[in-house]
Amino acid sequence: HNLEDVQDVIYHSWTASIHRVKSIYRNNRTLYLQNPTTTRFNGGSGRRYYLQNAMELLAPGTFYYDNTSHILYYHQMDGEKGEPHNVIVPQLVELLNFEGDLLRSQIRYITWSGITFSHVAADFTACFKGNCEDQSANFLTTAAIHIGGAENCIFDNITVSHVGGYGIWLHQGCLNNTIKNAHVFDLGAGGVRIGTGTHGVLPDLLQVNGNTLQDSVLEYGGHVFQMGCGVLMQTAAQNTITHNHIHHFRYTGVSGGWSWGYAATSTSSNEIS
């Protein structure tokens, strides 16, 4: 129907990448991609893949969006009535984004309690401009709640749901913040991300230390970027992940550290219990 809409999802050794289809040659069963895979994690043949977002693939309970006509098609499930459905199409890739000035003034002592953050779009920027093969969806630069340069802030009894990427990200310069009694679910990638994807030793201003995730439920992730983790704790130190219920992620429940080798790193003294 519209080849430019079709996406190819390719499985690698421990990740999966999404690509736009450029052309298909049926006579020799060859498919070309607009943004080719680098095969950095799996150079062998026989890798599994599947196609998505094509009119021809519509099945009960699925939808297709035509970027040319701007029409959304939905194939009703057996037993569904022909009544109109409520359709929510998120426009933003982040709902809450704040970052303190790391050189002059951090954000301090703010509490968010009893708030629901829902319906966030998936960010395909990395996929369609280059590639999105990185382990644990490290290529993502957004999250529904994206915090940097914050100290002693609290997220208590919040809900984050129907998200296209990660639910919460405590990014560079986050110190001694707490996430507790949170419910984070229906996620395009993962639940909570702590730290940065930078290897080695971080400058003091960029350290991510002393944060806590506790008594929370993180569930049902990897719907778009299948390598998302329940908790992705990268280059960070002295953080505590304790007494959480984490389930139904396609890759890893809790991932700690972001170094491969024996070089010095800012990752140390984290507790997972």
Side-chain angles (χ1 to χ4, degrees), residues 4 13 23 28 44 51 65-66 70 90 168 212 227 246 267:
E4 293 183 355
S13 293
S23 57
N28 60 1
L51 301 179
Y65 178 70
D66 189 324
H70 305 295
I168 305 171
T212 298
M227 55 289 217
I246 302 170
T267 300

Side-chain angles (χ1 to χ4, degrees), residues 13 99 130 138 153 174 180 266:
S13 293
E99 185 167 351
N138 173 64
C153 294
C174 280
K180 60 182 180 179
S266 291

